[in-house]
Amino acid sequence: MRFIFAGFGGQGVMLMGQILAYAGMIEGKNVTWMPSYGPEMRGGTANCTVVVSDEPVASPVVDKAETVVAMNIPSMIKFQNFLVENGYFFLNKSVIDREPDKKEDIKIYKIECNEIADKLGNLKVANMVMLGAVIGATKIVSKESVFKALEKKLTGKKAELIELNKKAIEEGMKKVSEQ
Amino acid sequence: MEKVMVKGTEAIGEAAIRAGCRHFFGYPITPQSELPEYMSKRLPEVDGVFLQTESEVATVNMLYGAACTGTRVMTSTSSPGFSLMMEGVSYMACAQLPAVFVNVVRGGPGLGDIQPAQGDYWQATKGGGHGDYKLIVLAPATVQEAVDLTVLAFDLADKYRTPTLILADGLLGQMMEPVEFPEFRDLSTLPDHSSWAMTGAKGRKPHIITSFDIDPYILEKMNLELVKKYREIEKNEVRWEEFKTEDADIVITAFGTVARIAKSVVEMARKDGLKVGLFRPITVWPFPYEPLKKLAEKVDLFFDVEMNMGQMLEDVKLAIGGEKPVAFYSRMGGVVPTPNEIYEALKKEFGRRE
Amino acid sequence: MKKLLYKMPESLSGKEFTYCPGCHHGIVHRLIAEVIDELGIREKTLVVAPIGCSVFAYQFFNMDGTIAAHGRAPAVATGMKRARPDLYVFTYQGDGDLAAIGTAEIMHAANRGEKVTTIFINNAIYGMTGGQMAPTTLLGMKTTTTPYGRDAQKDGYPMHMCEFLKEAKGVAYLARTKVTTPQDVEKTKKAIKKAFLAQVKGIGFGLVEVLSTCPTNWGMDPISAMKWLEENMIPEYPLGVFIDKVGDEK
């Protein structure tokens, strides 16, 4: 399954992709995480591609994706046409106040990531709320694997944020189960 | 050993340390600065030496100096930086000094950009610096392969007393994939260079390392010695991968990360009933001429895909020798071709010839 | 009673010098060899020869050696010293090598305080390539590329490497000398010894600039060349010790 995570720099889209890839690896799947890099990293839009597959990953470069996660409007516009039929389109409703042009033959999930994160006490976990929604809807990896990935990735001083991130994942999953 | 997720650049660094490299000299340049950064943190942990140099020109000459002492030494850079190193690389090839270079290729020529490209193929495989010399050039396509080929690069450098080059691109450098690292090499088991290295002339005649002789007849002898070595390498070290070529009518030729993208194209074509395969040189020097030539006996069309103006294309054509048509698809300037666009181009080419 | 007054230093290979009559390379080579003998470090010393007339220096010294690319001897020496801090490394460089093409390398090696030694031969001209202008060529001096004399407006001014290098914090010993009289030869030997001691004692970078003649390219006989050096080079390049963190030998 091919994923595109996109948003503003600082919204944690790179980490979202890395945690998903890590969780896939923990489950013994083949994974690749590939970032956009360069000047756009510094303040502009950022995106990364994740491929999770039972087969060895051939192309890390995708022009089609089963899942697109847009954390802001430019990302929604840029990547909507990457979606395949029956693809998943996740939109951060807190930031995106308009409809995508692409609506046919896809599943759209609108999640108020920022509000949910804010309620949990830290706006920074908006990305994990979204990741929770992604795994809840696509079932690509289990919650447990994502939790393990968080424990691997958030070490040192960041370790104290693990619990909060886990809660954010669970909130995101809850949100899609309601939709 | 447990798998870990790492970036290509860092994977190369860790692999080098496990291969017994304890000396790294480097100058920052995008998109590979994560590698010197990694080494600056990691090498002191294993009593190694990291030095940020004043230029790539200084870098290559520090490699020359360190290699003279017989130690495993490495640097990494990106295209313009590798151009600056060319004089020193030529010196090292002639002086028969083992060392490992990494070129994380970016868009060129000139300042170019910092996106992935393959425009340094000629520079890597056809010389680059002055004079008659060759580098062993390894072109990994996955992060795991980058690890494996880094270790191999050190072993081949020592075995043949020659500089070797990892030809990567920005895509591979920035990509994260699960890898399994090899065990740490016991430093005492590394090849013994005491017969030629500069270690102090104690109780023996001085060891002199030069890339120089003013007498043309002696220099010619040195040239011939190098040629003999290069023939030996061509005989022993050719590496390549074939994917679904057994029954293929069309074979895509590609190296590095483009070959991975091409693999997806093979899968797409197979789903549509087209018999497409992939031929991927792993050593771009020595180039796998013979296996590709063999393949030409049963293949109708070759389709070369590169992120340059057609550099490996020349070697592909040399191998095939005009027997079969070779079509070409390319993106340049740091634009990475997608599986769909390559597939569309391939179908068009195939249709044209039907 | 017999007393040994003179012998070939062990640190010289015994190969006959191939330098022109009246050239000072030979004197300086011998001084370096004597110093290495006296310090007892020949078996642990590596020589890095430059591109220039002294490209063959590695043949004249009886120790492991190499030739660096033009100007890069300090980088090569850095690589060696970082790989083998237990060994001693020196570079031998001319003015084109050190003060033109290799300016970046010498500046940074000095500033990092690399524990290596550099002997810098300044004869104000390119020798091997046939008498072209060097960065240290004097104003008004005629060379094959300044046939009307060096013109500051066009060619810039003579480079004063010691004066530049004396600002570098990593330098432990820095001096400018000459070898035109027996007394000067003695002084130069002392300076070279200190430049090596800076390394042996692990204090930092050591460099001695030796003002030298090039009778062939200056178009003079050796005696006139020495006289010319005294009269023209000394006013431009004053002798002296610029930095000495080594102290006096006890």
Side-chain angles (χ1 to χ4, degrees):
Chain A
M1 202 178 225
R2 296 163 290 185
F3 297 79
I4 292 170
F5 295 89
F8 288 126
Q11 280 184 312
V13 293
M14 297 299 186
L15 186 65
M16 241 193 283
Q18 284 182 10
I19 296 291
L20 177 64
Y22 224 108
M25 181 185 84
I26 288 166
E27 294 191 1
K29 295 187 160 82
N30 294 291
V31 297
T32 294
W33 173 88
M34 200 193 71
S36 62
Y37 68 90
E40 62 184 329
M41 264 167 66
R42 299 171 175 89
T45 60
N47 69 79
C48 64
T49 307
V50 176
V51 183
V52 182
S53 168
D54 292 329
E55 302 296 315
V57 179
S59 177
V61 177
V62 306
D63 46 13
K64 290 284 168 207
E66 281 72 30
T67 301
V68 170
V69 177
M71 296 297 280
N72 63 8
I73 293 169
S75 304
M76 176 182 82
I77 295 168
K78 188 171 176 188
F79 293 110
Q80 53 190 353
N81 290 326
F82 279 63
L83 276 165
V84 298
E85 213 170 291
N86 298 319
Y88 297 87
F89 202 4
F90 293 89
L91 305 171
N92 180 9
K93 200 178 170 185
S94 314
V95 176
I96 302 173
D97 58 0
R98 63 174 89 155
E99 292 294 312
D101 300 327
K102 171 129 181 135
K103 280 187 249 179
E104 303 297 305
D105 305 322
I106 55 167
K107 293 171 238 143
I108 298 181
Y109 294 87
K110 296 178 183 169
I111 315 290
E112 303 95 336
C113 301
N114 296 25
E115 282 82 353
I116 295 169
D118 214 18
K119 259 186 224 158
L120 289 172
N122 190 338
L123 189 59
K124 282 202 164 161
V125 295
N127 59 343
M128 289 301 134
V129 174
M130 187 56 110
L131 185 60
V134 171
I135 64 159
T138 63
K139 311 268 190 292
I140 183 73
V141 291
S142 71
K143 181 176 85 177
E144 289 68 33
S145 303
V146 173
F147 283 7
K148 269 189 213 157
L150 278 170
E151 282 157 16
K152 285 255 181 201
K153 193 81 196 166
L154 302 178
T155 52
K157 242 190 137 183
K158 289 180 191 155
E160 56 197 46
L161 294 170
I162 291 175
E163 282 314 306
L164 180 65
N165 276 277
K166 285 181 178 175
K167 256 186 221 152
I169 298 277
E170 280 172 340
E171 285 300 314
M173 291 180 77
K174 210 160 86 191
K175 200 74 200 166
V176 288
S177 68
E178 290 163 5
Q179 284 195 2
Chain B
M1 197 168 239
E2 200 192 350
K3 279 196 175 181
V4 284
M5 281 275 283
V6 277
K7 265 193 174 187
T9 40
E10 294 174 355
I12 291 170
E14 182 62 28
I17 288 170
R18 283 166 191 256
C21 172
R22 291 293 179 273
H23 299 90
F24 186 100
F25 302 88
Y27 187 82
I29 182 169
T30 309
Q32 62 77 52
S33 295
E34 294 87 346
L35 184 39
E37 282 167 9
Y38 183 81
M39 294 308 244
S40 71
K41 185 162 165 279
R42 190 74 178 86
L43 273 169
E45 294 174 358
V46 292
D47 298 324
V49 174
F50 168 85
L51 183 64
Q52 181 169 328
T53 69
E54 62 268 33
S55 71
E56 285 90 349
V57 175
T59 301
V60 68
N61 288 287
M62 289 180 192
L63 253 69
Y64 179 108
C68 278
T69 70
T71 190
R72 287 198 157 178
V73 62
M74 178 191 217
T75 189
S76 69
T77 185
S78 182
S79 307
F82 197 52
S83 289
L84 276 171
M85 293 182 186
M86 283 295 101
E87 183 198 30
V89 170
S90 167
Y91 272 63
M92 290 177 79
C94 187
Q96 307 210 51
L97 290 171
V100 175
F101 292 81
V102 180
N103 181 359
V104 180
V105 180
R106 62 188 235 184
L111 184 54
D113 63 18
I114 56 175
Q115 299 304 317
Q118 298 184 316
D120 299 358
Y121 179 93
W122 283 331
Q123 182 191 50
T125 61
K126 308 292 172 190
H130 57 284
D132 285 302
Y133 77 91
K134 285 285 186 186
L135 298 178
I136 296 176
V137 188
L138 306 164
T142 67
V143 179
Q144 181 66 58
E145 198 179 34
V147 167
D148 300 341
L149 292 184
T150 298
V151 176
L152 180 67
F154 278 103
D155 289 341
L156 293 180
D158 274 338
K159 181 176 175 190
Y160 295 103
R161 281 189 62 189
T162 186
T164 61
L165 170 65
I166 305 281
L167 190 66
D169 61 54
L171 213 61
L172 187 69
Q174 299 292 323
M175 199 188 293
M176 271 177 113
E177 286 184 324
V179 299
E180 208 170 321
F181 283 112
E183 296 294 335
F184 284 90
R185 201 68 70 84
D186 177 353
L187 297 187
S188 67
T189 65
L190 294 180
D192 175 24
H193 293 318
S194 60
S195 65
W196 57 267
M198 290 172 64
T199 54
K202 189 176 181 183
R204 60 160 170 78
K205 281 193 170 154
H207 287 169
I208 303 298
I209 297 172
T210 71
S211 63
F212 168 75
D213 205 290
I214 206 85
D215 180 339
Y217 295 96
I218 295 176
L219 183 60
E220 189 186 42
K221 271 191 190 148
M222 285 164 67
N223 288 140
L224 290 171
E225 197 185 319
L226 288 178
V227 171
K228 198 174 144 204
K229 176 165 84 177
Y230 297 143
R231 295 288 167 265
E232 194 68 18
I233 294 169
E234 283 171 340
K235 212 170 75 195
N236 302 336
E237 305 301 343
V238 176
R239 286 169 172 82
W240 75 98
E241 182 199 358
E242 288 183 40
F243 179 64
K244 301 196 174 174
T245 52
E246 304 81 19
D247 62 342
D249 301 322
I250 306 173
V251 165
I252 302 176
T253 50
F255 73 98
T257 44
V258 177
R260 286 184 69 163
I261 301 170
K263 223 176 214 181
S264 287
V265 178
V266 171
E267 305 280 18
M268 291 161 85
R270 290 270 166 179
K271 265 184 205 157
D272 290 348
L274 282 173
K275 285 184 182 164
V276 178
L278 170 72
F279 184 91
R280 174 174 75 93
I282 295 170
T283 49
V284 285
W285 196 87
F287 188 84
Y289 291 108
E290 283 306 316
L292 189 56
K293 189 179 170 192
K294 223 180 211 169
L295 210 52
E297 290 166 13
K298 52 179 189 180
V299 170
D300 298 330
L301 172 66
F302 286 90
F303 192 72
D304 184 59
V305 187
E306 297 179 63
M307 294 195 286
N308 57 45
M309 65 189 275
Q311 301 196 5
M312 187 179 81
L313 178 63
E314 294 185 351
D315 284 324
V316 170
K317 285 182 172 169
L318 263 178
I320 293 164
E323 295 294 315
K324 296 289 164 65
V326 184
F328 176 59
Y329 185 75
S330 103
R331 295 305 300 260
M332 285 187 277
V335 180
V336 180
T338 66
N340 272 302
E341 69 172 283
I342 296 173
Y343 187 38
E344 287 307 316
L346 183 139
K347 278 194 290 191
K348 216 164 122 189
E349 192 62 40
F350 187 65
R352 203 166 66 79
R353 288 169 194 274
E354 280 265 282
Chain C
M1 200 176 78
K2 279 189 215 162
K3 198 177 160 200
L4 184 67
L5 290 173
Y6 185 91
K7 72 174 177 97
M8 174 73 75
E10 207 193 334
S11 292
L12 285 180
S13 66
K15 185 181 159 73
E16 236 173 80
F17 293 144
T18 44
Y19 300 116
C20 306
C23 167
H24 288 177
H25 275 313
I27 301 172
V28 181
H29 279 24
R30 185 186 164 91
L31 294 179
I32 293 169
E34 285 179 0
V35 164
I36 291 172
D37 278 7
E38 285 168 23
L39 292 171
I41 57 172
R42 183 193 70 82
E43 293 174 335
K44 296 182 83 179
T45 300
L46 313 179
V47 50
V48 183
I51 309 291
C53 285
S54 48
V55 67
F56 290 111
Y58 68 94
Q59 295 184 354
F60 304 130
F61 290 101
N62 178 26
M63 57 196 66
D64 286 1
T66 190
I67 309 171
H70 199 22
R72 316 302 170 210
V76 169
T78 298
M80 288 174 170
K81 189 73 181 191
R82 294 291 179 124
R84 288 295 301 267
D86 57 319
L87 300 179
Y88 305 107
V89 187
F90 79 95
T91 74
Y92 188 96
Q93 301 175 258
D95 42 43
D97 194 84
L98 182 139
I101 196 166
T103 320
E105 282 75 15
I106 193 66
M107 283 291 177
H108 285 273
N111 198 53
R112 282 193 304 265
E114 291 297 339
K115 288 162 193 71
V116 301
T117 304
T118 292
I119 308 303
F120 167 36
I121 304 299
N122 177 3
N123 58 13
I125 203 155
Y126 277 68
M128 189 170 71
T129 48
Q132 295 84 6
M133 182 185 73
T136 49
T137 292
L138 304 183
L139 289 180
M141 187 173 162
K142 285 185 181 170
T143 71
T144 56
T145 51
T146 54
Y148 309 107
R150 182 174 188 165
D151 173 2
Q153 291 307 310
K154 186 166 79 65
D155 308 310
Y157 296 89
M159 290 275 277
H160 292 72
M161 291 309 293
C162 282
E163 285 77 359
F164 286 145
L165 285 165
K166 76 176 200 282
E167 302 301 327
K169 295 277 192 295
V171 179
Y173 186 79
L174 180 65
R176 184 184 285 128
T177 66
K178 62 183 168 88
V179 287
T180 45
T181 69
Q183 292 82 351
D184 289 318
V185 170
E186 267 314 299
K187 276 187 192 166
T188 298
K189 183 174 169 183
K190 268 185 195 147
I192 291 173
K193 191 162 196 175
K194 281 206 167 183
F196 271 90
L197 278 169
Q199 169 175 197
V200 171
K201 292 183 170 180
I203 308 169
F205 178 79
L207 182 144
V208 180
E209 173 178 346
V210 186
L211 301 181
S212 305
T213 57
C214 181
T216 300
N217 286 300
W218 290 359
M220 299 173 197
D221 64 73
I223 304 292
S224 316
M226 295 234 259
K227 197 162 166 257
W228 191 90
L229 185 151
E230 297 282 356
E231 287 169 2
N232 297 280
M233 287 185 76
I234 301 299
E236 181 71 33
Y237 298 113
L239 304 182
V241 175
F242 297 86
I243 295 173
D244 184 357
K245 297 179 189 166
V246 179
D248 290 321
E249 260 191 296
K250 301 224 168 69

